[in-house]
Coordinates of all heavy atoms in Angstrom, one line a residue:
M1 N -68.7 -36.5 27.9 CA -69.3 -37.6 27.1 C -68.6 -38.9 27.4 O -67.4 -38.9 27.4 CB -69.2 -37.3 25.6 CG -70.0 -38.3 24.8 SD -70.0 -37.6 23.1 CE -69.2 -38.9 22.3
K2 N -69.4 -39.9 27.7 CA -68.8 -41.2 28.1 C -68.4 -42.0 26.8 O -69.2 -42.0 25.9 CB -69.8 -42.0 28.9 CG -69.2 -43.2 29.5 CD -70.2 -43.9 30.4 CE -69.6 -45.2 30.8 NZ -70.5 -46.0 31.7
L3 N -67.3 -42.6 26.8 CA -66.9 -43.4 25.7 C -67.6 -44.7 25.6 O -67.9 -45.3 26.7 CB -65.4 -43.7 25.7 CG -64.4 -42.5 25.7 CD1 -63.0 -42.9 25.9 CD2 -64.6 -41.7 24.4
S4 N -68.0 -45.2 24.5 CA -68.7 -46.5 24.4 C -67.8 -47.6 24.7 O -66.6 -47.5 24.6 CB -69.3 -46.6 22.9 OG -68.2 -46.9 22.0
N5 N -68.4 -48.8 25.0 CA -67.6 -50.0 25.3 C -66.9 -50.4 24.1 O -65.8 -50.9 24.2 CB -68.6 -51.1 25.8 CG -69.0 -50.8 27.2 OD1 -68.4 -50.1 28.0 ND2 -70.1 -51.5 27.6
D6 N -67.5 -50.2 22.9 CA -66.8 -50.6 21.6 C -65.5 -49.8 21.5 O -64.4 -50.3 21.1 CB -67.7 -50.4 20.4 CG -68.7 -51.4 20.2 OD1 -68.7 -52.5 21.0 OD2 -69.6 -51.2 19.4
V7 N -65.5 -48.5 21.7 CA -64.4 -47.7 21.6 C -63.3 -48.1 22.6 O -62.1 -48.3 22.3 CB -64.7 -46.2 21.8 CG1 -63.5 -45.3 22.0 CG2 -65.5 -45.7 20.6
R8 N -63.7 -48.4 23.9 CA -62.8 -48.8 24.9 C -62.1 -50.1 24.5 O -60.9 -50.3 24.6 CB -63.5 -49.0 26.2 CG -63.9 -47.7 26.9 CD -64.6 -47.9 28.2 NE -65.0 -46.6 28.7 CZ -64.2 -45.7 29.3 NH1 -63.0 -46.0 29.5 NH2 -64.7 -44.6 29.7
E9 N -62.9 -51.1 24.0 CA -62.4 -52.4 23.6 C -61.4 -52.2 22.4 O -60.4 -52.9 22.4 CB -63.5 -53.3 23.3 CG -64.3 -53.8 24.5 CD -65.5 -54.6 24.2 OE1 -65.7 -55.0 23.0 OE2 -66.3 -54.8 25.1
T10 N -61.7 -51.4 21.5 CA -60.8 -51.1 20.4 C -59.5 -50.6 20.8 O -58.4 -51.0 20.4 CB -61.5 -50.2 19.3 OG1 -62.7 -50.8 18.9 CG2 -60.6 -49.8 18.2
V11 N -59.5 -49.6 21.7 CA -58.3 -49.0 22.2 C -57.5 -50.0 23.0 O -56.3 -50.1 22.8 CB -58.6 -47.8 23.1 CG1 -57.4 -47.3 23.8 CG2 -59.3 -46.7 22.3
Q12 N -58.1 -50.8 23.8 CA -57.4 -51.9 24.6 C -56.8 -52.9 23.7 O -55.7 -53.3 23.9 CB -58.4 -52.5 25.6 CG -58.7 -51.6 26.7 CD -59.8 -52.2 27.7 OE1 -60.4 -53.1 27.4 NE2 -59.9 -51.5 28.8
R13 N -57.5 -53.3 22.7 CA -57.0 -54.4 21.8 C -55.9 -53.8 21.0 O -54.8 -54.5 20.8 CB -58.2 -54.8 20.8 CG -57.9 -56.0 20.0 CD -59.1 -56.5 19.2 NE -60.0 -55.5 18.7 CZ -61.2 -55.2 19.1 NH1 -61.7 -55.9 20.2 NH2 -61.9 -54.3 18.6
R14 N -56.0 -52.6 20.5 CA -54.9 -52.0 19.7 C -53.6 -51.9 20.5 O -52.5 -52.1 20.0 CB -55.3 -50.6 19.2 CG -54.2 -49.9 18.4 CD -54.7 -48.5 17.9 NE -55.0 -47.7 19.0 CZ -55.8 -46.6 19.0 NH1 -56.3 -46.3 17.8 NH2 -56.1 -45.9 20.0
A15 N -53.7 -51.6 21.8 CA -52.6 -51.4 22.7 C -52.1 -52.8 23.3 O -51.1 -52.8 24.0 CB -53.0 -50.5 23.9
Q16 N -52.8 -53.8 22.9 CA -52.5 -55.2 23.4 C -52.4 -55.2 24.9 O -51.6 -55.9 25.5 CB -51.2 -55.7 22.8 CG -51.3 -55.8 21.3 CD -50.0 -56.2 20.6 OE1 -48.9 -56.1 21.2 NE2 -50.1 -56.7 19.4
G17 N -53.3 -54.4 25.6 CA -53.4 -54.4 27.0 C -52.3 -53.8 27.8 O -52.2 -53.9 29.0
A18 N -51.4 -53.0 27.1 CA -50.3 -52.4 27.8 C -50.4 -50.8 27.7 O -50.9 -50.3 26.7 CB -49.0 -52.8 27.2
C19 N -50.0 -50.1 28.7 CA -49.9 -48.7 28.7 C -49.1 -48.2 27.4 O -48.0 -48.7 27.2 CB -49.3 -48.1 29.9 SG -49.1 -46.3 29.9
E20 N -49.7 -47.3 26.7 CA -49.0 -46.9 25.4 C -47.8 -45.9 25.7 O -47.1 -45.6 24.8 CB -50.0 -46.4 24.4 CG -50.9 -47.4 24.0 CD -51.8 -47.0 22.8 OE1 -51.3 -46.7 21.7 OE2 -53.0 -47.0 23.0
Y21 N -47.7 -45.5 27.0 CA -46.6 -44.6 27.3 C -45.5 -45.4 27.9 O -44.3 -45.3 27.4 CB -47.1 -43.5 28.3 CG -48.1 -42.5 27.6 CD1 -49.4 -42.6 28.0 CD2 -47.7 -41.6 26.7 CE1 -50.4 -41.8 27.4 CE2 -48.6 -40.8 26.1 CZ -50.0 -40.8 26.5 OH -50.9 -40.0 25.9
C22 N -45.7 -46.1 29.0 CA -44.6 -46.8 29.7 C -44.6 -48.3 29.4 O -43.7 -49.0 29.9 CB -44.7 -46.6 31.2 SG -46.1 -47.5 32.0
R23 N -45.6 -48.8 28.7 CA -45.7 -50.2 28.3 C -46.0 -51.2 29.5 O -45.8 -52.4 29.4 CB -44.4 -50.7 27.6 CG -44.1 -49.9 26.3 CD -44.7 -50.6 25.1 NE -44.7 -49.8 23.9 CZ -43.9 -50.0 22.9 NH1 -43.0 -50.9 22.9 NH2 -44.1 -49.2 21.8
L24 N -46.5 -50.7 30.6 CA -46.8 -51.5 31.7 C -48.0 -52.4 31.3 O -49.1 -51.8 30.9 CB -47.2 -50.7 32.9 CG -47.7 -51.5 34.2 CD1 -46.5 -52.2 34.8 CD2 -48.3 -50.5 35.2
P25 N -47.9 -53.7 31.4 CA -49.1 -54.6 31.1 C -50.2 -54.4 32.1 O -50.0 -54.2 33.3 CB -48.5 -56.0 31.1 CG -47.0 -55.9 31.2 CD -46.7 -54.5 31.7
Q26 N -51.4 -54.5 31.6 CA -52.6 -54.3 32.5 C -52.5 -55.3 33.6 O -52.8 -55.0 34.8 CB -53.9 -54.5 31.7 CG -55.1 -54.6 32.5 CD -55.4 -53.3 33.4 OE1 -55.7 -52.3 32.8 NE2 -55.1 -53.4 34.7
E27 N -52.1 -56.5 33.4 CA -52.1 -57.5 34.4 C -51.0 -57.3 35.5 O -51.1 -57.9 36.6 CB -51.9 -59.0 33.8 CG -50.7 -59.2 33.0 CD -50.9 -58.9 31.5 OE1 -51.9 -58.2 31.1 OE2 -50.0 -59.3 30.7
A28 N -50.1 -56.3 35.3 CA -49.1 -56.0 36.3 C -49.6 -54.8 37.1 O -48.9 -54.4 38.0 CB -47.8 -55.6 35.6
S29 N -50.8 -54.3 36.9 CA -51.3 -53.2 37.6 C -52.5 -53.6 38.4 O -53.4 -54.3 37.9 CB -51.6 -52.0 36.7 OG -52.2 -50.9 37.4
I30 N -52.6 -53.1 39.6 CA -53.9 -53.4 40.4 C -55.0 -52.4 40.0 O -56.1 -52.7 40.4 CB -53.6 -53.3 41.9 CG1 -53.1 -51.9 42.4 CG2 -52.6 -54.4 42.3 CD1 -53.0 -51.8 43.9
V31 N -54.6 -51.3 39.4 CA -55.6 -50.3 38.9 C -55.9 -50.5 37.4 O -54.9 -50.6 36.7 CB -55.2 -48.9 39.2 CG1 -56.2 -47.9 38.7 CG2 -54.9 -48.7 40.7
P32 N -57.1 -50.7 37.0 CA -57.3 -50.9 35.5 C -56.7 -49.7 34.7 O -56.9 -48.5 35.1 CB -58.8 -50.9 35.4 CG -59.3 -51.3 36.8 CD -58.3 -50.7 37.7
H33 N -56.1 -50.0 33.6 CA -55.7 -49.0 32.7 C -56.9 -48.2 32.2 O -58.0 -48.7 32.1 CB -54.9 -49.6 31.5 CG -53.6 -50.1 31.8 ND1 -53.0 -50.1 33.1 CD2 -52.6 -50.6 31.0 CE1 -51.8 -50.6 33.0 NE2 -51.5 -50.9 31.8
Q34 N -56.6 -46.9 31.8 CA -57.6 -46.0 31.4 C -57.5 -45.6 29.9 O -56.4 -45.7 29.4 CB -57.6 -44.7 32.2 CG -57.6 -45.0 33.7 CD -57.2 -43.9 34.6 OE1 -56.7 -42.9 34.1 NE2 -57.5 -44.0 35.9
V35 N -58.6 -45.2 29.3 CA -58.5 -44.7 28.0 C -58.2 -43.2 28.1 O -59.0 -42.5 28.7 CB -59.8 -45.0 27.2 CG1 -59.8 -44.3 25.8 CG2 -60.0 -46.5 27.0
D36 N -57.1 -42.8 27.5 CA -56.6 -41.4 27.6 C -56.9 -40.7 26.3 O -56.6 -41.2 25.2 CB -55.1 -41.5 27.9 CG -54.5 -40.1 27.9 OD1 -55.0 -39.2 28.6 OD2 -53.5 -39.9 27.2
H37 N -57.3 -39.4 26.5 CA -57.3 -38.5 25.3 C -55.9 -38.0 25.2 O -55.5 -37.3 26.0 CB -58.3 -37.4 25.5 CG -59.8 -37.8 25.4 ND1 -60.4 -38.5 26.4 CD2 -60.6 -37.6 24.4 CE1 -61.7 -38.7 26.0 NE2 -61.8 -38.2 24.8
I38 N -55.3 -38.3 24.1 CA -53.9 -37.9 23.9 C -53.9 -36.4 23.9 O -53.0 -35.8 24.5 CB -53.3 -38.5 22.6 CG1 -53.3 -40.0 22.6 CG2 -51.9 -37.9 22.3 CD1 -53.1 -40.7 21.3
I39 N -54.8 -35.8 23.2 CA -55.0 -34.3 23.4 C -56.3 -34.2 24.1 O -57.4 -34.6 23.6 CB -55.1 -33.6 22.0 CG1 -53.7 -33.8 21.3 CG2 -55.4 -32.2 22.1 CD1 -53.7 -33.3 19.9
G40 N -56.2 -33.7 25.4 CA -57.3 -33.7 26.3 C -58.6 -33.0 25.8 O -58.5 -32.1 24.9
R41 N -59.7 -33.4 26.4 CA -60.9 -32.7 26.0 C -60.9 -31.2 26.3 O -61.5 -30.4 25.7 CB -62.1 -33.3 26.8 CG -62.5 -34.7 26.3 CD -63.5 -35.3 27.1 NE -64.1 -36.5 26.5 CZ -64.6 -37.5 27.2 NH1 -64.7 -37.4 28.5 NH2 -65.1 -38.5 26.6
Q42 N -60.1 -30.8 27.3 CA -59.9 -29.4 27.7 C -59.3 -28.6 26.5 O -59.5 -27.4 26.4 CB -59.0 -29.3 28.9 CG -59.5 -30.0 30.1 CD -58.9 -31.4 30.3 OE1 -58.6 -32.0 29.3 NE2 -58.7 -31.8 31.5
R43 N -58.6 -29.3 25.7 CA -57.9 -28.7 24.5 C -58.7 -29.0 23.2 O -58.2 -29.0 22.2 CB -56.5 -29.1 24.4 CG -55.7 -28.7 25.6 CD -54.2 -29.0 25.5 NE -53.5 -28.9 26.7 CZ -53.2 -27.7 27.3 NH1 -53.5 -26.6 26.7 NH2 -52.5 -27.7 28.4
R44 N -60.0 -29.4 23.5 CA -60.9 -29.8 22.4 C -60.4 -31.0 21.6 O -60.6 -31.1 20.4 CB -61.1 -28.6 21.4 CG -61.7 -27.4 22.1 CD -62.0 -26.3 21.2 NE -62.6 -25.2 22.0 CZ -62.8 -24.0 21.5 NH1 -62.4 -23.7 20.3 NH2 -63.3 -23.1 22.3
G45 N -59.7 -31.9 22.3 CA -59.4 -33.2 21.7 C -60.6 -34.0 21.4 O -61.5 -34.1 22.3
P46 N -60.8 -34.6 20.2 CA -62.0 -35.4 19.9 C -62.0 -36.7 20.5 O -61.0 -37.2 21.1 CB -61.8 -35.5 18.4 CG -60.4 -35.5 18.1 CD -59.8 -34.5 19.1
D47 N -63.1 -37.4 20.5 CA -63.3 -38.7 21.1 C -63.0 -39.8 20.0 O -63.3 -41.0 20.3 CB -64.8 -38.9 21.6 CG -65.0 -38.2 22.9 OD1 -64.0 -37.8 23.5 OD2 -66.2 -37.9 23.2
D48 N -62.5 -39.5 18.9 CA -62.2 -40.4 17.8 C -61.1 -41.4 18.3 O -60.2 -41.1 19.0 CB -61.7 -39.7 16.6 CG -61.4 -40.6 15.5 OD1 -62.4 -40.9 14.8 OD2 -60.3 -41.0 15.3
V49 N -61.3 -42.7 17.9 CA -60.4 -43.8 18.4 C -58.9 -43.4 18.0 O -58.0 -43.7 18.8 CB -60.8 -45.1 17.7 CG1 -59.7 -46.2 17.9 CG2 -62.1 -45.6 18.3
A50 N -58.7 -42.7 16.9 CA -57.3 -42.4 16.5 C -56.7 -41.4 17.5 O -55.5 -41.2 17.4 CB -57.4 -41.8 15.1
T51 N -57.5 -40.7 18.3 CA -56.9 -39.8 19.3 C -56.9 -40.3 20.7 O -56.6 -39.5 21.6 CB -57.7 -38.4 19.2 OG1 -59.0 -38.7 19.7 CG2 -57.7 -37.9 17.8
L52 N -57.2 -41.5 20.9 CA -57.2 -42.1 22.2 C -56.1 -43.1 22.4 O -55.6 -43.7 21.4 CB -58.5 -42.8 22.4 CG -59.8 -42.0 22.2 CD1 -61.0 -42.9 22.3 CD2 -59.9 -40.9 23.3
C53 N -55.7 -43.4 23.6 CA -54.7 -44.4 23.8 C -55.0 -45.1 25.2 O -55.7 -44.5 26.0 CB -53.3 -43.9 23.8 SG -52.8 -42.9 25.2
L54 N -54.4 -46.3 25.4 CA -54.5 -46.9 26.7 C -53.4 -46.4 27.6 O -52.2 -46.3 27.1 CB -54.4 -48.5 26.5 CG -54.8 -49.3 27.7 CD1 -56.3 -49.1 28.0 CD2 -54.6 -50.8 27.4
C55 N -53.7 -46.1 28.8 CA -52.8 -45.4 29.7 C -52.9 -46.0 31.1 O -54.0 -46.1 31.6 CB -53.2 -44.0 29.6 SG -52.1 -42.9 30.5
C56 N -51.8 -46.3 31.7 CA -51.8 -46.7 33.1 C -52.1 -45.5 34.0 O -52.0 -44.3 33.6 CB -50.5 -47.4 33.6 SG -49.1 -46.3 33.8
I57 N -52.5 -45.7 35.2 CA -52.9 -44.6 36.1 C -51.7 -43.7 36.4 O -51.9 -42.5 36.5 CB -53.5 -45.2 37.5 CG1 -54.1 -44.0 38.3 CG2 -52.5 -46.0 38.3 CD1 -55.3 -43.4 37.8
H58 N -50.5 -44.3 36.5 CA -49.3 -43.4 36.8 C -49.1 -42.4 35.7 O -48.8 -41.3 35.9 CB -48.1 -44.3 37.0 CG -48.3 -45.3 38.1 ND1 -48.4 -45.0 39.4 CD2 -48.5 -46.7 38.1 CE1 -48.6 -46.1 40.1 NE2 -48.7 -47.1 39.3
C59 N -49.1 -43.0 34.4 CA -48.8 -42.1 33.3 C -49.9 -41.1 33.1 O -49.7 -39.9 32.8 CB -48.7 -42.9 32.0 SG -47.1 -43.8 32.0
N60 N -51.2 -41.5 33.3 CA -52.3 -40.6 33.2 C -52.2 -39.4 34.2 O -52.5 -38.3 33.9 CB -53.6 -41.3 33.3 CG -54.7 -40.6 32.5 OD1 -54.5 -39.6 31.9 ND2 -55.9 -41.2 32.6
L61 N -51.9 -39.7 35.4 CA -51.8 -38.7 36.4 C -50.6 -37.8 36.2 O -50.7 -36.6 36.4 CB -51.6 -39.3 37.8 CG -52.9 -40.0 38.4 CD1 -52.5 -40.7 39.7 CD2 -54.0 -39.0 38.6
K62 N -49.5 -38.3 35.7 CA -48.3 -37.5 35.3 C -48.6 -36.6 34.1 O -48.2 -35.4 34.1 CB -47.1 -38.4 35.0 CG -46.4 -38.9 36.2 CD -45.2 -38.1 36.5 CE -44.4 -38.7 37.6 NZ -43.4 -37.9 38.1
K63 N -49.2 -37.1 33.1 CA -49.4 -36.4 31.9 C -50.6 -35.4 32.0 O -50.4 -34.2 31.6 CB -49.7 -37.3 30.7 CG -50.0 -36.6 29.4 CD -50.4 -37.7 28.4 CE -51.1 -37.0 27.2 NZ -52.4 -36.6 27.4
G64 N -51.6 -35.8 32.6 CA -52.8 -34.9 32.8 C -53.2 -34.4 31.4 O -53.2 -35.1 30.4
P65 N -53.7 -33.2 31.3 CA -54.1 -32.6 30.0 C -53.0 -32.0 29.2 O -53.2 -31.5 28.2 CB -55.1 -31.5 30.5 CG -54.6 -31.1 31.8 CD -54.0 -32.3 32.4
D66 N -51.7 -32.2 29.7 CA -50.6 -31.5 29.0 C -50.3 -32.1 27.7 O -50.5 -33.4 27.5 CB -49.3 -31.7 29.9 CG -49.4 -30.9 31.2 OD1 -50.3 -30.1 31.3 OD2 -48.6 -31.2 32.1
I67 N -49.9 -31.3 26.8 CA -49.4 -31.8 25.4 C -48.0 -31.4 25.2 O -47.4 -31.8 24.2 CB -50.4 -31.3 24.3 CG1 -50.4 -29.8 24.3 CG2 -51.7 -31.9 24.4 CD1 -51.2 -29.2 23.1
A68 N -47.4 -30.6 26.1 CA -46.0 -30.2 26.0 C -45.5 -29.9 27.4 O -46.2 -29.7 28.3 CB -45.9 -28.9 25.1
S69 N -44.1 -29.8 27.4 CA -43.5 -29.5 28.7 C -42.1 -29.0 28.4 O -41.6 -29.1 27.3 CB -43.4 -30.8 29.6 OG -42.9 -30.5 30.8
I70 N -41.5 -28.4 29.5 CA -40.2 -27.8 29.4 C -39.2 -29.0 29.5 O -39.3 -29.8 30.4 CB -39.9 -26.8 30.5 CG1 -40.9 -25.6 30.4 CG2 -38.4 -26.3 30.4 CD1 -40.7 -24.8 29.2
D71 N -38.3 -29.1 28.5 CA -37.2 -30.1 28.6 C -36.3 -29.8 29.7 O -35.6 -28.7 29.7 CB -36.5 -30.2 27.3 CG -35.5 -31.4 27.3 OD1 -34.8 -31.6 28.3 OD2 -35.4 -32.0 26.2
P72 N -36.2 -30.6 30.8 CA -35.4 -30.3 31.9 C -33.9 -30.2 31.6 O -33.1 -29.6 32.4 CB -35.7 -31.4 33.0 CG -36.2 -32.5 32.2 CD -36.8 -31.9 31.0
K73 N -33.4 -30.8 30.6 CA -32.0 -30.9 30.2 C -31.6 -29.7 29.3 O -30.6 -29.1 29.5 CB -31.6 -32.2 29.6 CG -31.7 -33.3 30.5 CD -31.2 -34.6 29.8 CE -31.3 -35.8 30.8 NZ -31.0 -37.1 30.1
T74 N -32.5 -29.3 28.4 CA -32.1 -28.3 27.4 C -32.9 -27.0 27.5 O -32.5 -26.0 26.9 CB -32.3 -28.9 26.0 OG1 -33.6 -29.3 25.7 CG2 -31.3 -30.1 25.8
G75 N -34.1 -27.1 28.2 CA -34.8 -25.8 28.4 C -36.0 -25.5 27.6 O -37.0 -24.9 28.1
P76 N -36.0 -25.8 26.3 CA -37.2 -25.4 25.5 C -38.4 -26.2 25.7 O -38.4 -27.3 26.3 CB -36.7 -25.6 24.0 CG -35.7 -26.7 24.1 CD -35.0 -26.5 25.5
L77 N -39.5 -25.6 25.3 CA -40.8 -26.3 25.4 C -40.8 -27.4 24.3 O -40.5 -27.1 23.1 CB -42.0 -25.3 25.1 CG -43.4 -25.8 25.2 CD1 -43.7 -26.2 26.7 CD2 -44.4 -24.7 24.8
V78 N -41.2 -28.6 24.6 CA -41.2 -29.7 23.7 C -42.5 -30.4 23.8 O -43.2 -30.5 24.8 CB -40.1 -30.7 23.9 CG1 -38.7 -30.0 23.6 CG2 -40.1 -31.3 25.3
A79 N -43.0 -30.9 22.6 CA -44.2 -31.7 22.6 C -44.0 -33.0 23.4 O -43.0 -33.6 23.3 CB -44.6 -32.0 21.2
L80 N -45.0 -33.4 24.1 CA -45.0 -34.7 24.8 C -45.2 -35.8 23.7 O -45.7 -35.6 22.7 CB -46.1 -34.8 25.9 CG -45.9 -33.9 27.0 CD1 -47.1 -34.1 28.0 CD2 -44.6 -34.0 27.7
Y81 N -44.8 -37.0 24.1 CA -44.9 -38.2 23.2 C -46.4 -38.4 22.9 O -47.3 -38.3 23.7 CB -44.4 -39.4 24.0 CG -44.7 -40.7 23.3 CD1 -44.1 -41.1 22.1 CD2 -45.6 -41.6 23.9 CE1 -44.4 -42.3 21.5 CE2 -45.9 -42.8 23.3 CZ -45.3 -43.1 22.1 OH -45.6 -44.3 21.5
H82 N -46.6 -38.6 21.6 CA -48.0 -38.8 21.0 C -48.0 -40.2 20.4 O -47.3 -40.5 19.4 CB -48.2 -37.7 20.0 CG -49.7 -37.7 19.5 ND1 -50.3 -38.8 18.9 CD2 -50.6 -36.8 19.5 CE1 -51.5 -38.5 18.5 NE2 -51.7 -37.3 18.9
P83 N -48.7 -41.1 21.1 CA -48.6 -42.5 20.6 C -49.1 -42.8 19.2 O -48.6 -43.8 18.6 CB -49.6 -43.2 21.6 CG -49.7 -42.4 22.8 CD -49.5 -41.0 22.3
R84 N -49.8 -41.9 18.6 CA -50.3 -42.1 17.2 C -49.3 -41.5 16.2 O -49.3 -41.8 15.1 CB -51.7 -41.5 17.0 CG -52.8 -42.1 17.9 CD -53.3 -43.4 17.4 NE -52.5 -44.5 17.9 CZ -52.6 -45.0 19.2 NH1 -53.3 -44.4 20.1 NH2 -51.8 -46.0 19.6
R85 N -48.5 -40.5 16.7 CA -47.6 -39.8 15.8 C -46.1 -40.1 15.9 O -45.4 -39.9 15.0 CB -47.8 -38.3 15.9 CG -49.2 -37.8 15.6 CD -49.3 -36.3 15.8 NE -50.7 -35.9 15.6 CZ -51.2 -34.8 16.0 NH1 -50.5 -34.0 16.7 NH2 -52.5 -34.5 15.8
H86 N -45.7 -40.5 17.1 CA -44.3 -40.6 17.4 C -43.9 -42.1 17.5 O -44.7 -42.9 17.9 CB -43.9 -39.9 18.6 CG -44.2 -38.4 18.6 ND1 -44.8 -37.7 19.6 CD2 -44.0 -37.5 17.6 CE1 -45.0 -36.5 19.3 NE2 -44.5 -36.3 18.1
A87 N -42.7 -42.4 17.2 CA -42.1 -43.8 17.4 C -41.7 -43.9 18.9 O -40.9 -43.1 19.4 CB -41.0 -44.0 16.5
W88 N -42.3 -44.9 19.6 CA -42.0 -45.1 21.0 C -40.5 -45.2 21.3 O -40.0 -44.6 22.2 CB -42.7 -46.4 21.5 CG -42.7 -46.6 23.0 CD1 -43.7 -46.1 23.8 CD2 -41.8 -47.3 23.8 NE1 -43.3 -46.4 25.1 CE2 -42.2 -47.2 25.1 CE3 -40.6 -48.0 23.4 CZ2 -41.5 -47.8 26.1 CZ3 -39.9 -48.5 24.5 CH2 -40.3 -48.4 25.8
R89 N -39.8 -45.9 20.5 CA -38.3 -46.2 20.7 C -37.5 -44.9 20.5 O -36.4 -44.8 21.0 CB -37.8 -47.2 19.7 CG -38.4 -48.6 20.1 CD -37.8 -49.6 19.1 NE -38.5 -50.9 19.3 CZ -38.0 -51.9 20.0 NH1 -36.9 -51.7 20.6 NH2 -38.7 -53.0 20.1
E90 N -38.1 -43.9 19.9 CA -37.3 -42.6 19.8 C -37.5 -41.7 21.0 O -36.8 -40.7 21.2 CB -37.8 -41.8 18.5 CG -37.4 -42.5 17.2 CD -37.9 -41.8 16.0 OE1 -38.4 -40.7 16.1 OE2 -37.8 -42.4 14.9
H91 N -38.4 -42.1 21.9 CA -38.7 -41.3 23.1 C -38.3 -42.0 24.4 O -38.1 -41.4 25.4 CB -40.2 -40.9 23.1 CG -40.5 -39.9 22.1 ND1 -40.6 -38.6 22.3 CD2 -40.8 -40.1 20.8 CE1 -40.9 -37.9 21.2 NE2 -41.0 -38.8 20.3
F92 N -38.3 -43.3 24.4 CA -38.1 -44.1 25.6 C -37.1 -45.2 25.4 O -36.9 -45.7 24.3 CB -39.5 -44.7 26.1 CG -40.6 -43.8 26.2 CD1 -41.6 -43.6 25.2 CD2 -40.7 -43.0 27.4 CE1 -42.6 -42.7 25.4 CE2 -41.7 -42.1 27.5 CZ -42.7 -41.9 26.5
T93 N -36.6 -45.7 26.5 CA -35.8 -46.9 26.5 C -36.2 -47.8 27.7 O -36.9 -47.3 28.6 CB -34.3 -46.5 26.8 OG1 -34.1 -45.9 28.0 CG2 -33.7 -45.7 25.6
V94 N -35.9 -49.0 27.6 CA -36.3 -50.0 28.6 C -35.0 -50.3 29.4 O -34.0 -50.7 28.8 CB -36.9 -51.3 28.0 CG1 -37.1 -52.3 29.1 CG2 -38.1 -50.9 27.3
A95 N -35.0 -50.1 30.7 CA -33.9 -50.4 31.5 C -33.9 -51.9 31.7 O -34.8 -52.5 32.3 CB -33.9 -49.7 32.8
T96 N -32.8 -52.6 31.3 CA -32.8 -54.1 31.4 C -31.8 -54.5 32.5 O -31.8 -55.7 32.8 CB -32.4 -54.7 30.1 OG1 -31.2 -54.2 29.6 CG2 -33.5 -54.4 29.0
E97 N -31.0 -53.7 32.9 CA -30.0 -54.1 34.0 C -30.6 -53.7 35.4 O -31.1 -52.6 35.5 CB -28.7 -53.4 33.8 CG -28.0 -53.8 32.5 CD -26.7 -53.1 32.3 OE1 -26.1 -52.7 33.3 OE2 -26.3 -53.0 31.1
V98 N -30.3 -54.6 36.3 CA -30.7 -54.3 37.7 C -29.4 -54.2 38.5 O -28.5 -55.0 38.4 CB -31.6 -55.5 38.2 CG1 -31.9 -55.3 39.7 CG2 -32.8 -55.6 37.4
D99 N -29.4 -53.2 39.3 CA -28.2 -53.0 40.1 C -28.2 -54.0 41.2 O -29.1 -54.0 42.1 CB -28.2 -51.6 40.7 CG -27.0 -51.2 41.5 OD1 -26.1 -52.1 41.7 OD2 -26.9 -50.1 42.0
P100 N -27.2 -54.9 41.3 CA -27.2 -56.0 42.3 C -26.8 -55.5 43.7 O -27.0 -56.2 44.6 CB -26.2 -57.0 41.7 CG -25.3 -56.1 40.9 CD -26.1 -55.0 40.4
S101 N -26.3 -54.3 43.8 CA -25.9 -53.8 45.1 C -27.1 -53.5 46.0 O -28.1 -53.2 45.6 CB -25.0 -52.5 45.0 OG -25.8 -51.5 44.4
P102 N -26.9 -53.8 47.3 CA -28.0 -53.6 48.3 C -28.4 -52.2 48.4 O -27.7 -51.3 48.2 CB -27.5 -54.2 49.6 CG -26.0 -54.3 49.5 CD -25.7 -54.2 48.0
Ligands
LIG1 ZN1 -47.9 -46.0 31.9

């Protein structure tokens, strides 16, 4: 089922035009951001606006339909970040330092 333009615009406006996973602004990407089903349709995720997020192509390809993954540091299965349920700052950090070495 195709999402309506109203739904797409609502998702884009709520996300302020940035990927809700990595925060990449739409204007910094040559590929338009996509509306992602946080819980994919394969897992019977609904088309409700509350279950959708704006997602860059890189994050969408990495996440795919997954809702959980093995934590590479500790081993257990953990839920992936859910933009409507989790606090972004508890899952991600922004690297602000650039290594000046060549
Ligand atoms: Zn992203």
Side-chain angles (χ1 to χ4, degrees):
M1 186 170 120
K2 186 176 178 182
L3 298 174
S4 72
N5 287 340
D6 283 350
V7 168
R8 290 180 182 283
E9 289 172 11
T10 298
V11 171
Q12 289 175 345
R13 190 172 38 253
R14 179 180 60 203
Q16 299 178 341
C19 174
E20 294 189 62
Y21 296 106
C22 73
R23 301 264 168 106
L24 178 72
Q26 172 59 72
E27 57 270 15
S29 176
I30 59 172
V31 179
H33 286 5
Q34 304 167 348
V35 175
D36 175 52
H37 285 77
I38 299 167
I39 298 174
R41 288 177 169 152
Q42 301 92 328
R43 300 186 189 285
R44 299 187 180 166
D47 285 342
D48 185 82
V49 170
T51 65
L52 303 172
C53 74
L54 192 63
C55 186
C56 75
I57 188 71
H58 304 290
C59 289
N60 207 359
L61 289 173
K62 281 261 187 192
K63 177 184 165 286
D66 296 343
I67 57 174
S69 184
I70 301 295
D71 185 321
K73 290 183 181 173
T74 60
L77 184 67
V78 294
L80 295 180
Y81 170 70
H82 189 299
R84 302 281 85 74
R85 296 181 186 158
H86 302 133
W88 190 89
R89 291 179 188 265
E90 292 178 9
H91 290 263
F92 304 101
T93 59
V94 176
T96 56
E97 295 183 25
V98 177
D99 184 356
S101 61

